[in-house]
Amino acid sequence: QARHLLRPRCGVLAARPPPASAHHNMMSSVSTRRRTGSMDMAFVPNKMSKSWVDLSKGSRKEKDLLGERDVPIDAYYGVQTLRAIENYSITGILVRNFPEFIIAFAQVKKACAKANFKLGHLDFDKTEAICHACDELIDPETALLGENKGEEMRRNFLVDMIQGGAGTSTNMNANEVIANRALEHLGKKKGEYE
């Protein structure tokens, strides 16, 4: 008869038994339920926060097919992410709230870099720089790689989780963050794309 509160590993709540009290309002039970775990803040919209684009420390020029834009000088993201922030602020829930998603993207990008190296489409130095940047995103706490900017890089995933297109903005956000960190590993500045 009575169901118990079930907490599967994915953190989704199953059923909760109705209280024995006849005066209990079922809605209050739902509203006071608390979630725990790593996803607590993942679904909290960022709508009320200040703009994520801060040009107060300076800017660099980046261009795409739509033209040239100022991007914060210290940002790992680039012009494509900047446009997505401006155009696709749908839920206010950002990709950076989901570290597992960022890790998965980094693993795919690392595998692609290795595959392109094996096919002769990417030279050794660029491959190593991209893989190093991906490793920082995958494990931002390891000191084995020297200076690890994985946490800072993760904070630069500012695209809305629900955005227009087929994930193009999220993919470009990942490309820009990884590419700009790889550029630093190659001794270049952010935004110095070839």
Coordinates of all heavy atoms in Angstrom, one line a residue, residues 112-186:
C112 N 38.6 13.0 -31.4 CA 38.7 13.5 -32.8 C 40.1 14.0 -33.1 O 40.6 13.9 -34.3 CB 37.7 14.6 -33.0 SG 36.0 14.1 -33.0
A113 N 40.7 14.7 -32.2 CA 42.1 15.2 -32.4 C 43.0 14.1 -32.7 O 43.8 14.1 -33.6 CB 42.5 16.0 -31.2
K114 N 42.9 13.0 -31.9 CA 43.8 11.8 -32.1 C 43.5 11.2 -33.5 O 44.5 10.8 -34.2 CB 43.6 10.8 -31.0 CG 44.2 11.3 -29.7 CD 44.0 10.2 -28.6 CE 44.8 10.6 -27.4 NZ 44.7 9.5 -26.4
A115 N 42.3 11.1 -33.8 CA 41.9 10.5 -35.1 C 42.5 11.3 -36.3 O 43.0 10.8 -37.3 CB 40.4 10.3 -35.2
N116 N 42.3 12.6 -36.2 CA 42.8 13.5 -37.2 C 44.3 13.5 -37.3 O 44.9 13.6 -38.4 CB 42.3 14.9 -37.0 CG 40.9 15.1 -37.6 OD1 40.6 15.0 -38.8 ND2 39.9 15.3 -36.7
F117 N 45.0 13.3 -36.2 CA 46.5 13.1 -36.2 C 46.8 11.9 -37.0 O 47.7 11.9 -37.8 CB 47.0 13.1 -34.8 CG 48.5 12.8 -34.8 CD1 49.4 13.7 -35.2 CD2 48.9 11.6 -34.3 CE1 50.8 13.4 -35.2 CE2 50.3 11.3 -34.3 CZ 51.2 12.2 -34.7
K118 N 46.2 10.8 -36.6 CA 46.5 9.5 -37.3 C 46.2 9.5 -38.8 O 46.9 8.8 -39.6 CB 45.7 8.4 -36.6 CG 46.2 7.9 -35.3 CD 45.4 6.8 -34.7 CE 45.9 6.4 -33.4 NZ 45.2 5.3 -32.8
L119 N 45.2 10.3 -39.2 CA 44.9 10.4 -40.6 C 45.8 11.5 -41.3 O 45.7 11.6 -42.6 CB 43.4 10.9 -40.8 CG 42.4 9.8 -40.4 CD1 41.0 10.4 -40.4 CD2 42.5 8.6 -41.3
G120 N 46.7 12.1 -40.6 CA 47.6 13.1 -41.2 C 47.0 14.5 -41.4 O 47.6 15.3 -42.1
H121 N 45.8 14.8 -40.8 CA 45.2 16.1 -41.0 C 45.5 17.1 -39.9 O 45.2 18.3 -40.0 CB 43.7 15.9 -41.0 CG 43.2 15.0 -42.1 ND1 43.4 15.3 -43.4 CD2 42.4 13.9 -42.0 CE1 42.9 14.3 -44.1 NE2 42.2 13.5 -43.3
L122 N 46.2 16.6 -38.8 CA 46.6 17.5 -37.7 C 48.0 17.2 -37.3 O 48.4 16.0 -37.1 CB 45.6 17.3 -36.6 CG 45.5 18.3 -35.4 CD1 45.1 19.6 -36.0 CD2 44.5 17.8 -34.4
D123 N 48.9 18.2 -37.1 CA 50.2 17.9 -36.8 C 50.4 17.6 -35.3 O 49.4 17.8 -34.5 CB 51.2 19.1 -37.1 CG 50.9 20.4 -36.3 OD1 50.8 20.3 -35.1 OD2 50.9 21.5 -36.9
F124 N 51.5 17.1 -34.9 CA 51.7 16.6 -33.5 C 51.5 17.6 -32.5 O 50.9 17.4 -31.5 CB 53.1 15.9 -33.4 CG 53.4 15.4 -32.1 CD1 52.9 14.2 -31.6 CD2 54.2 16.1 -31.2 CE1 53.2 13.7 -30.4 CE2 54.5 15.7 -29.9 CZ 53.9 14.4 -29.5
D125 N 52.1 18.8 -32.7 CA 52.1 19.9 -31.6 C 50.6 20.3 -31.4 O 50.2 20.5 -30.2 CB 52.9 21.1 -32.0 CG 54.4 20.8 -32.0 OD1 54.8 19.8 -31.3 OD2 55.2 21.4 -32.7
K126 N 49.9 20.5 -32.4 CA 48.5 20.9 -32.3 C 47.7 19.8 -31.6 O 46.8 20.1 -30.8 CB 47.8 21.3 -33.6 CG 48.3 22.6 -34.2 CD 47.7 22.9 -35.5 CE 48.3 24.2 -36.1 NZ 47.9 24.5 -37.4
T127 N 47.9 18.6 -32.0 CA 47.2 17.4 -31.4 C 47.5 17.4 -29.9 O 46.6 17.2 -29.1 CB 47.7 16.1 -32.0 OG1 47.4 16.2 -33.4 CG2 46.9 14.9 -31.4
E128 N 48.8 17.5 -29.5 CA 49.1 17.5 -28.1 C 48.5 18.6 -27.3 O 48.0 18.4 -26.2 CB 50.6 17.5 -27.9 CG 51.3 16.2 -28.2 CD 50.9 15.1 -27.3 OE1 51.1 15.3 -26.1 OE2 50.4 14.1 -27.8
A129 N 48.4 19.8 -27.9 CA 47.9 21.0 -27.3 C 46.3 20.8 -27.1 O 45.8 21.1 -26.0 CB 48.1 22.3 -28.1
I130 N 45.7 20.3 -28.1 CA 44.2 20.0 -28.0 C 43.9 19.0 -26.9 O 43.1 19.1 -26.1 CB 43.6 19.6 -29.3 CG1 43.7 20.8 -30.3 CG2 42.2 19.1 -29.2 CD1 43.4 20.5 -31.8
C131 N 44.7 17.9 -27.0 CA 44.5 16.8 -26.0 C 44.8 17.3 -24.6 O 44.1 16.9 -23.6 CB 45.4 15.6 -26.3 SG 44.8 14.7 -27.8
H132 N 45.8 18.1 -24.4 CA 46.1 18.7 -23.1 C 44.9 19.5 -22.6 O 44.5 19.4 -21.4 CB 47.4 19.5 -23.2 CG 47.9 19.9 -21.9 ND1 49.3 20.3 -21.7 CD2 47.4 20.0 -20.6 CE1 49.5 20.6 -20.4 NE2 48.4 20.5 -19.8
A133 N 44.4 20.4 -23.4 CA 43.2 21.2 -23.1 C 42.0 20.3 -22.7 O 41.3 20.6 -21.7 CB 42.9 22.1 -24.2
C134 N 41.8 19.3 -23.5 CA 40.7 18.4 -23.2 C 40.9 17.7 -21.8 O 40.0 17.5 -21.0 CB 40.5 17.3 -24.3 SG 39.9 18.0 -25.8
D135 N 42.1 17.2 -21.6 CA 42.4 16.6 -20.3 C 42.2 17.5 -19.1 O 41.7 17.1 -18.1 CB 43.9 16.1 -20.3 CG 44.1 14.9 -21.1 OD1 43.1 14.1 -21.4 OD2 45.3 14.7 -21.6
E136 N 42.4 18.8 -19.3 CA 42.1 19.8 -18.2 C 40.6 19.9 -18.0 O 40.2 20.0 -16.8 CB 42.7 21.1 -18.6 CG 44.2 21.2 -18.5 CD 44.7 22.6 -18.9 OE1 44.8 22.8 -20.1 OE2 45.0 23.4 -18.0
L137 N 39.8 19.8 -19.0 CA 38.4 19.9 -18.8 C 37.9 18.6 -18.2 O 37.0 18.6 -17.4 CB 37.7 20.0 -20.2 CG 37.6 21.5 -20.7 CD1 37.0 21.5 -22.1 CD2 36.7 22.3 -19.8
I138 N 38.5 17.4 -18.6 CA 38.0 16.1 -18.1 C 38.3 16.0 -16.6 O 37.5 15.5 -15.8 CB 38.7 15.0 -18.9 CG1 38.1 15.0 -20.3 CG2 38.5 13.7 -18.2 CD1 38.9 14.2 -21.3
D139 N 39.5 16.4 -16.2 CA 39.9 16.4 -14.8 C 40.6 17.7 -14.3 O 41.8 17.8 -14.4 CB 40.8 15.2 -14.6 CG 41.1 14.9 -13.1 OD1 40.6 15.7 -12.2 OD2 41.9 14.0 -12.8
P140 N 39.8 18.7 -13.9 CA 40.3 20.0 -13.6 C 41.1 20.0 -12.3 O 41.7 21.0 -11.9 CB 39.1 20.9 -13.5 CG 38.0 20.0 -13.2 CD 38.3 18.6 -13.8
E141 N 41.2 18.9 -11.6 CA 41.8 18.8 -10.3 C 43.2 18.2 -10.3 O 44.0 18.3 -9.4 CB 41.0 18.1 -9.2 CG 39.7 18.9 -9.0 CD 38.8 18.1 -8.0 OE1 39.2 17.1 -7.4 OE2 37.6 18.6 -7.8
T142 N 43.6 17.6 -11.4 CA 44.9 16.9 -11.5 C 46.0 17.9 -11.7 O 45.8 18.9 -12.4 CB 44.9 15.9 -12.7 OG1 46.1 15.2 -12.6 CG2 44.8 16.5 -14.0
A143 N 47.1 17.6 -11.0 CA 48.3 18.5 -11.1 C 49.3 17.8 -12.0 O 50.4 18.4 -12.2 CB 48.8 18.7 -9.7
L144 N 49.0 16.7 -12.6 CA 49.9 15.9 -13.4 C 50.3 16.7 -14.7 O 51.3 16.5 -15.3 CB 49.4 14.6 -13.8 CG 49.2 13.6 -12.6 CD1 48.5 12.3 -13.0 CD2 50.5 13.3 -11.9
L145 N 49.4 17.6 -15.1 CA 49.5 18.3 -16.4 C 50.2 19.6 -16.2 O 50.3 20.4 -17.2 CB 48.1 18.5 -17.0 CG 47.3 17.3 -17.2 CD1 45.9 17.7 -17.6 CD2 47.9 16.4 -18.3
G146 N 50.7 20.0 -15.0 CA 51.2 21.3 -14.8 C 50.1 22.2 -14.4 O 49.1 21.8 -13.7
E147 N 50.1 23.4 -14.8 CA 49.0 24.4 -14.5 C 47.7 23.9 -15.2 O 47.7 23.7 -16.4 CB 49.4 25.8 -15.0 CG 48.3 26.8 -14.7 CD 48.6 28.2 -15.3 OE1 49.3 28.3 -16.3 OE2 48.1 29.1 -14.7
N148 N 46.7 23.7 -14.4 CA 45.4 23.2 -14.9 C 44.4 24.2 -14.8 O 44.0 24.7 -13.7 CB 45.1 21.9 -14.1 CG 43.9 21.2 -14.7 OD1 43.0 21.8 -15.3 ND2 43.8 19.9 -14.5
K149 N 43.8 24.7 -15.9 CA 42.8 25.7 -15.9 C 41.4 25.1 -16.2 O 40.6 25.8 -16.8 CB 43.2 26.8 -16.9 CG 44.4 27.6 -16.5 CD 44.5 28.8 -17.3 CE 45.7 29.6 -16.7 NZ 45.8 30.9 -17.4
G150 N 41.3 23.8 -15.9 CA 40.0 23.1 -16.2 C 38.8 23.8 -15.6 O 37.7 23.9 -16.3
E151 N 38.9 24.2 -14.3 CA 37.7 24.9 -13.7 C 37.4 26.2 -14.4 O 36.2 26.5 -14.6 CB 38.0 25.1 -12.2 CG 37.8 23.8 -11.4 CD 36.4 23.2 -11.4 OE1 35.4 24.0 -11.5 OE2 36.3 22.0 -11.3
E152 N 38.4 27.0 -14.7 CA 38.2 28.2 -15.4 C 37.6 28.0 -16.7 O 36.7 28.7 -17.2 CB 39.5 29.0 -15.5 CG 39.4 30.4 -16.1 CD 40.7 31.1 -16.3 OE1 41.7 30.7 -15.6 OE2 40.7 32.1 -17.0
M153 N 38.1 27.0 -17.4 CA 37.5 26.7 -18.7 C 36.1 26.2 -18.6 O 35.2 26.7 -19.5 CB 38.3 25.5 -19.4 CG 39.8 25.9 -19.7 SD 40.8 24.5 -20.0 CE 40.1 23.8 -21.4
R154 N 35.7 25.4 -17.6 CA 34.3 25.0 -17.5 C 33.4 26.2 -17.2 O 32.3 26.2 -17.7 CB 34.2 24.0 -16.3 CG 34.7 22.6 -16.6 CD 34.5 21.7 -15.4 NE 35.0 20.4 -15.7 CZ 34.8 19.3 -14.9 NH1 34.2 19.5 -13.8 NH2 35.3 18.1 -15.2
R155 N 33.9 27.2 -16.5 CA 33.1 28.4 -16.3 C 32.8 29.2 -17.6 O 31.9 30.0 -17.6 CB 33.7 29.3 -15.3 CG 33.7 28.8 -13.8 CD 34.1 29.8 -12.8 NE 35.5 30.3 -13.0 CZ 36.5 29.7 -12.4 NH1 36.4 28.7 -11.7 NH2 37.7 30.2 -12.6
N156 N 33.5 28.9 -18.7 CA 33.3 29.5 -19.9 C 32.3 28.8 -20.8 O 32.1 29.2 -22.0 CB 34.6 29.7 -20.7 CG 35.4 30.9 -20.1 OD1 35.5 31.9 -20.8 ND2 36.0 30.7 -19.0
F157 N 31.6 27.8 -20.3 CA 30.5 27.2 -21.1 C 29.2 27.9 -20.8 O 28.5 27.5 -19.9 CB 30.5 25.7 -20.8 CG 31.5 24.9 -21.5 CD1 32.8 24.8 -21.0 CD2 31.2 24.2 -22.6 CE1 33.8 24.1 -21.7 CE2 32.1 23.4 -23.3 CZ 33.4 23.4 -22.8
L158 N 29.0 29.0 -21.5 CA 27.9 29.9 -21.1 C 26.7 29.8 -22.0 O 25.8 30.6 -22.0 CB 28.5 31.3 -21.2 CG 29.6 31.6 -20.1 CD1 30.1 33.0 -20.3 CD2 29.1 31.4 -18.7
V159 N 26.7 28.8 -22.9 CA 25.5 28.7 -23.8 C 24.4 28.1 -23.0 O 24.6 27.2 -22.1 CB 25.9 27.8 -25.0 CG1 24.7 27.4 -25.9 CG2 27.0 28.4 -25.8
D160 N 23.2 28.5 -23.3 CA 22.0 27.9 -22.7 C 21.8 26.5 -23.1 O 22.1 26.1 -24.2 CB 20.8 28.7 -23.2 CG 19.5 28.6 -22.4 OD1 18.9 27.5 -22.4 OD2 19.2 29.5 -21.6
M161 N 21.4 25.7 -22.1 CA 21.3 24.2 -22.4 C 20.2 24.0 -23.5 O 20.4 23.0 -24.3 CB 20.8 23.5 -21.1 CG 22.0 23.0 -20.3 SD 23.2 21.9 -21.1 CE 22.3 20.4 -21.3
I162 N 19.2 24.8 -23.5 CA 18.2 24.7 -24.6 C 18.5 25.8 -25.5 O 18.1 27.0 -25.2 CB 16.8 24.8 -24.0 CG1 16.5 23.8 -22.9 CG2 15.7 24.6 -25.1 CD1 16.6 22.3 -23.2
Q163 N 19.1 25.6 -26.6 CA 19.4 26.7 -27.6 C 19.0 26.3 -29.0 O 18.7 25.2 -29.3 CB 20.9 27.0 -27.5 CG 21.9 25.9 -27.4 CD 22.3 25.3 -28.7 OE1 22.2 25.9 -29.8 NE2 22.7 24.1 -28.7
G164 N 18.9 27.3 -29.8 CA 18.5 27.1 -31.2 C 19.4 26.2 -32.0 O 20.5 26.0 -31.6
G165 N 18.8 25.7 -33.0 CA 19.7 24.8 -33.9 C 19.7 23.4 -33.4 O 19.0 23.0 -32.5
A166 N 20.7 22.7 -33.8 CA 20.9 21.3 -33.5 C 22.1 21.1 -32.5 O 22.8 20.1 -32.6 CB 21.0 20.4 -34.7
G167 N 22.3 22.0 -31.7 CA 23.4 21.9 -30.7 C 24.7 22.6 -31.3 O 25.8 22.5 -30.7
T168 N 24.5 23.4 -32.4 CA 25.7 24.0 -33.0 C 26.4 25.0 -32.0 O 27.6 25.0 -31.9 CB 25.2 24.8 -34.3 OG1 24.6 23.8 -35.1 CG2 26.4 25.4 -34.9
S169 N 25.6 25.7 -31.3 CA 26.2 26.7 -30.4 C 26.9 26.0 -29.2 O 28.0 26.5 -28.8 CB 25.1 27.6 -29.8 OG 24.4 28.3 -30.8
T170 N 26.4 24.9 -28.7 CA 27.1 24.2 -27.7 C 28.4 23.6 -28.2 O 29.4 23.7 -27.6 CB 26.2 23.1 -27.1 OG1 25.0 23.6 -26.7 CG2 26.9 22.3 -26.0
N171 N 28.4 23.1 -29.4 CA 29.5 22.5 -30.1 C 30.6 23.6 -30.3 O 31.8 23.4 -30.0 CB 29.2 21.8 -31.4 CG 30.3 21.1 -32.0 OD1 31.0 20.3 -31.4 ND2 30.6 21.4 -33.3
M172 N 30.2 24.7 -30.7 CA 31.1 25.8 -31.0 C 31.7 26.4 -29.7 O 32.9 26.7 -29.6 CB 30.5 27.0 -31.8 CG 30.3 26.6 -33.2 SD 31.8 26.0 -34.1 CE 32.8 27.5 -34.0
N173 N 30.9 26.4 -28.6 CA 31.4 26.8 -27.3 C 32.5 25.9 -26.9 O 33.6 26.3 -26.4 CB 30.2 26.8 -26.3 CG 30.5 27.5 -25.0 OD1 29.6 27.6 -24.2 ND2 31.7 27.9 -24.7
A174 N 32.3 24.6 -27.0 CA 33.3 23.6 -26.7 C 34.6 23.8 -27.6 O 35.7 23.8 -27.1 CB 32.8 22.2 -26.8
N175 N 34.4 24.0 -28.9 CA 35.5 24.2 -29.8 C 36.3 25.4 -29.4 O 37.6 25.3 -29.4 CB 35.0 24.3 -31.2 CG 34.5 23.1 -31.8 OD1 34.8 22.0 -31.4 ND2 33.7 23.2 -32.9
E176 N 35.7 26.5 -29.1 CA 36.4 27.7 -28.8 C 37.1 27.6 -27.5 O 38.3 28.1 -27.4 CB 35.4 28.9 -28.7 CG 34.9 29.3 -30.1 CD 33.7 30.3 -30.1 OE1 33.1 30.5 -29.1 OE2 33.5 30.9 -31.2
V177 N 36.5 27.1 -26.4 CA 37.2 26.9 -25.2 C 38.4 26.0 -25.3 O 39.5 26.4 -24.8 CB 36.2 26.4 -24.1 CG1 36.9 25.9 -22.8 CG2 35.1 27.4 -23.8
I178 N 38.3 24.9 -26.0 CA 39.4 24.0 -26.1 C 40.5 24.6 -27.0 O 41.7 24.5 -26.7 CB 38.9 22.6 -26.7 CG1 38.0 21.9 -25.6 CG2 40.1 21.8 -27.1 CD1 37.2 20.8 -26.2
A179 N 40.1 25.2 -28.1 CA 41.0 25.9 -29.0 C 41.8 27.0 -28.4 O 43.0 27.1 -28.5 CB 40.3 26.4 -30.3
N180 N 41.1 27.8 -27.6 CA 41.9 28.9 -26.9 C 42.8 28.4 -25.8 O 43.9 29.0 -25.7 CB 40.9 30.0 -26.4 CG 40.4 30.9 -27.5 OD1 41.2 31.5 -28.2 ND2 39.1 31.1 -27.6
R181 N 42.5 27.4 -25.1 CA 43.4 26.8 -24.2 C 44.6 26.1 -24.9 O 45.7 26.3 -24.5 CB 42.7 25.9 -23.2 CG 43.6 25.3 -22.2 CD 44.2 26.4 -21.3 NE 45.0 25.8 -20.2 CZ 46.1 26.3 -19.7 NH1 46.6 27.5 -20.2 NH2 46.8 25.7 -18.8
A182 N 44.3 25.5 -26.0 CA 45.3 24.8 -26.8 C 46.3 25.9 -27.3 O 47.5 25.7 -27.4 CB 44.7 24.0 -27.9
L183 N 45.7 27.0 -27.8 CA 46.6 28.1 -28.2 C 47.6 28.6 -27.1 O 48.8 28.8 -27.4 CB 45.8 29.3 -28.7 CG 45.1 29.2 -30.0 CD1 44.1 30.3 -30.2 CD2 46.1 29.1 -31.2
E184 N 47.1 28.6 -25.9 CA 48.0 29.0 -24.8 C 49.1 28.0 -24.6 O 50.2 28.3 -24.4 CB 47.2 29.2 -23.5 CG 46.3 30.4 -23.5 CD 45.5 30.5 -22.2 OE1 45.2 29.5 -21.5 OE2 45.2 31.7 -21.8
H185 N 48.7 26.7 -24.7 CA 49.8 25.6 -24.6 C 50.8 25.7 -25.8 O 51.9 25.3 -25.6 CB 49.1 24.2 -24.7 CG 48.3 23.9 -23.4 ND1 48.9 24.0 -22.2 CD2 47.1 23.5 -23.3 CE1 48.0 23.6 -21.3 NE2 46.8 23.3 -21.9
L186 N 50.4 26.3 -26.9 CA 51.3 26.5 -28.0 C 52.1 27.8 -27.9 O 52.8 28.2 -28.8 CB 50.5 26.4 -29.3 CG 50.0 25.1 -29.7 CD1 49.0 25.2 -30.8 CD2 51.1 24.1 -30.0

